[in-house]
Amino acid sequence: MKFVIGLMLVLGAAASPAPRDDFNWRDIDFVLAFGDSYTYVQGTFGHQNYSFIGDALNYSFTPTQLLSNKIIQDQTGTSAGGPNWVEFLTGCFSGLPSKCRTQLWDFAFAGADISTSYMPLHHDYTIPFVDQIKQYTTYAHPVLYPRRSNPNPKKSLVALWIGINDINDSAKYTFPRNGTSNFAEYYDLLIAEMFESLENLYSAGYRNFLVVGLPNLDQSPANQKTSTPLPNLSMIQSFNGLLANRSKAFQSTHRGTKNLVFDTHAYLSSIFANASTYGITNTTSFCPRYNAPDIAANYAAYGCSAPDAYFWYNSGHITSHVHRILAKEVDSFLREQSSGRH
Ligand SMILES: *[C@@H]1O[C@H](CO)[C@@H](O)[C@H](O)[C@H]1NC(C)=O
Ligand SMILES: *[C@@H]1O[C@H](CO)[C@@H](O)[C@H](O)[C@H]1NC(C)=O
Ligand SMILES: *[C@@H]1O[C@H](CO)[C@@H](O)[C@H](O)[C@H]1NC(C)=O
Ligand SMILES: *[C@@H]1O[C@H](CO)[C@@H](O)[C@H](O)[C@H]1NC(C)=O
Ligand SMILES: *[C@@H]1O[C@H](CO)[C@@H](O)[C@H](O)[C@H]1NC(C)=O
Ligand SMILES: *[C@@H]1O[C@H](CO)[C@@H](O)[C@H](O)[C@H]1NC(C)=O
Ligand SMILES: *[C@@H]1O[C@H](CO)[C@@H](O)[C@H](O)[C@H]1NC(C)=O
Ligand SMILES: CC(=O)N[C@H]1CO[C@H](CO)[C@@H](O)[C@@H]1O
């Protein structure tokens, strides 16, 4: 008996907590999303073209507003001209999130950076990532989990895709800046703040985190046309490497968490390179009239191919078709990362 206790103490003191080995994507019925335009979905109580619910000037919402807020599926309901990756991943495309088999509660705000500490807001109504999390834990979490103090960690997944605006907005910054002397140090400052804000979710009981890395912004239409793309490949790889390291560190310092990192850049650049395999015929540019209300039917009248033929929806966003391909791969990734146990 003494021996067993002694051994437990030694193990407890020496090892950082082991990652949970009972994550199972098939058990997840609640996906909570935070991020920017790549993840935003339109809601009936949202800021048009920007959010599911509220904005920085209408930061609070009532339980009734939250529970009656519906996901709207239309051309501007995402930044992609159609359903986005979290909608494909959950199968929650429109209507009340609570009616979906895998519920999607999406607090991503188009144009969001990580915070305002080091980056200016796009608009006075923009809700940065760290404030999306505060908004959720203050106004939504107590409503969605009224009877339990904690969500069931086995049944919920927090999906995080942020940094696209940060790396884009800061691409021309010069150093020193904010006590850092290069991009890598600067990115780490931003990413540290991102992970600090996850403490709110950890305290609320969430344990499964999916971090989605930056996409292939180095291959945007404008970046393909220049010998000095911004952001460039090394900047994106630096950001993604730091993201992966911070995620690993969070897992090792937070008991009971499962932290997954999806390498979006590697995957999307392979789609880009093999575009025709996926029915994509145009990777170089986007249809200038991508947002014409009748584009789906009348693309030819605008001198364009069908929307699904494009990799890029506009100057900075991927098409819904690419979101669908991405979501399928994220789904496979989550299955691979699942334990065999039920
Ligand atoms: C939302 O986007 C559509 C299409 O670009 C545009 O017509 C509409 O004016 C936008 N709404 C707001 C409030 O910005
Ligand atoms: C970071 O630097 C920018 C530009 O100098 C400045 O506006 C901002 O306030 C600084 N942020 C912090 C937290 O010091
Ligand atoms: C990317 O941009 C940074 C900052 O301008 C520069 O230092 C670096 O050399 C560039 N990398 C590549 C591969 O062009
Ligand atoms: C991430 O951590 C590994 C192992 O500690 C280290 O070799 C690597 O340089 C780190 N990457 C970044 C981008 O900091
Ligand atoms: C294209 O797809 C093939 C098969 O899926 C894969 O082996 C290859 O690495 C891809 N090419 C690039 C450049 O990603
Ligand atoms: C790609 O799309 C743009 C805009 O529709 C068009 O101008 C360009 O010719 C297309 N490129 C190819 C290779 O089809
Ligand atoms: C990044 O910046 C470029 C240049 O300003 C812009 O064209 C592009 O739309 C931006 N990307 C996103 C995702 O906003
Ligand atoms: C839906 C809603 O409450 N919208 C308000 C958001 O904030 C602005 C500025 O305070 C108001 O004008 C809107 O009515």
Side-chain angles (χ1 to χ4, degrees):
M1 192 60 179
K2 259 183 197 155
F3 171 76
V4 171
I5 290 169
L7 184 65
M8 281 166 61
L9 287 175
V10 168
L11 286 174
S16 55
R20 288 216 347 271
D21 62 359
D22 59 353
F23 170 77
N24 200 324
W25 175 224
R26 274 165 301 189
D27 294 339
I28 302 289
D29 59 17
F30 186 98
V31 171
L32 180 55
F34 300 97
D36 51 38
S37 54
Y38 273 58
T39 302
Y40 129 81
V41 299
Q42 183 70 60
T44 40
F45 287 104
H47 189 117
Q48 198 189 356
N49 300 346
Y50 291 89
S51 72
F52 171 65
I53 193 161
D55 62 26
L57 309 172
N58 306 275
Y59 189 65
S60 67
F61 42 80
T62 66
T64 307
Q65 283 170 334
L66 178 69
L67 296 174
S68 60
N69 194 24
K70 293 179 177 163
I71 297 174
I72 298 172
Q73 189 56 247
D74 63 17
Q75 198 184 347
T76 56
T78 69
S79 67
N84 71 12
W85 75 284
V86 273
E87 294 178 324
F88 285 119
L89 186 66
T90 56
C92 199
F93 294 102
S94 65
L96 295 173
S98 59
K99 293 270 192 264
C100 298
R101 204 181 65 79
T102 304
Q103 298 184 29
L104 171 62
W105 293 94
D106 189 339
F107 291 76
F109 202 100
D113 288 283
I114 290 169
S115 83
T116 53
S117 304
Y118 309 105
M119 216 60 92
L121 288 173
H122 281 199
H123 301 103
D124 60 354
Y125 50 80
T126 306
I127 305 186
F129 176 86
V130 301
D131 297 309
Q132 292 165 23
I133 291 179
K134 277 190 211 133
Q135 186 193 35
Y136 175 80
T137 49
T138 309
Y139 303 109
H141 175 76
V143 178
L144 298 177
Y145 287 99
R147 285 174 298 276
R148 299 192 290 270
S149 57
N150 291 322
N152 185 341
K154 289 186 184 161
K155 302 195 118 204
S156 52
L157 175 70
V158 181
L160 311 161
W161 196 0
I162 192 70
I164 292 165
N165 293 307
D166 299 78
I167 201 164
N168 212 28
D169 297 353
S170 64
K172 289 183 179 161
Y173 281 2
T174 54
F175 295 91
R177 188 180 185 94
N178 297 123
T180 65
S181 52
N182 56 49
F183 278 110
E185 286 175 20
Y186 182 69
Y187 296 155
D188 205 36
L189 199 62
L190 308 179
I191 295 167
E193 202 176 358
M194 168 188 171
F195 278 90
E196 233 167 74
S197 75
L198 301 190
E199 297 296 346
N200 288 319
L201 294 170
Y202 186 78
S203 303
Y206 297 91
R207 294 293 180 269
N208 299 319
F209 298 90
L210 169 68
V211 171
V212 179
L214 294 182
N216 53 338
L217 303 171
D218 54 311
Q219 294 176 315
S220 72
N223 278 337
Q224 290 176 54
K225 294 195 183 83
T226 168
S227 57
T228 55
L230 285 176
N232 63 31
L233 180 60
S234 53
M235 293 161 103
I236 291 169
Q237 284 175 337
S238 163
F239 193 102
N240 282 345
L242 294 160
L243 204 54
N245 279 8
R246 286 272 174 191
S247 177
K248 211 167 148 193
F250 187 88
Q251 178 166 280
S252 68
T253 51
H254 293 74
R255 193 167 289 278
T257 57
K258 180 83 176 175
N259 277 51
L260 301 167
V261 179
F262 181 81
D263 190 348
T264 320
H265 188 276
Y267 187 66
L268 287 185
S269 48
S270 82
I271 303 302
F272 189 90
N274 282 323
S276 62
T277 312
Y278 299 91
I280 297 166
T281 55
N282 196 320
T283 54
T284 53
S285 194
F286 58 92
C287 175
R289 295 300 312 282
Y290 65 91
N291 60 359
D294 60 345
I295 190 72
N298 287 336
Y299 53 84
Y302 298 106
C304 292
S305 303
D308 280 3
Y310 292 90
F311 185 91
W312 294 106
Y313 178 61
N314 56 24
S315 62
H317 300 95
I318 55 177
T319 54
S320 179
H321 180 53
V322 176
H323 273 274
R324 186 195 298 125
I325 299 165
L326 172 64
K328 193 158 175 267
E329 185 68 9
V330 172
D331 180 76
S332 303
F333 172 74
L334 292 171
R335 279 169 207 268
E336 278 163 23
Q337 299 294 321
S338 296
S339 71
R341 290 195 249 137
H342 299 270

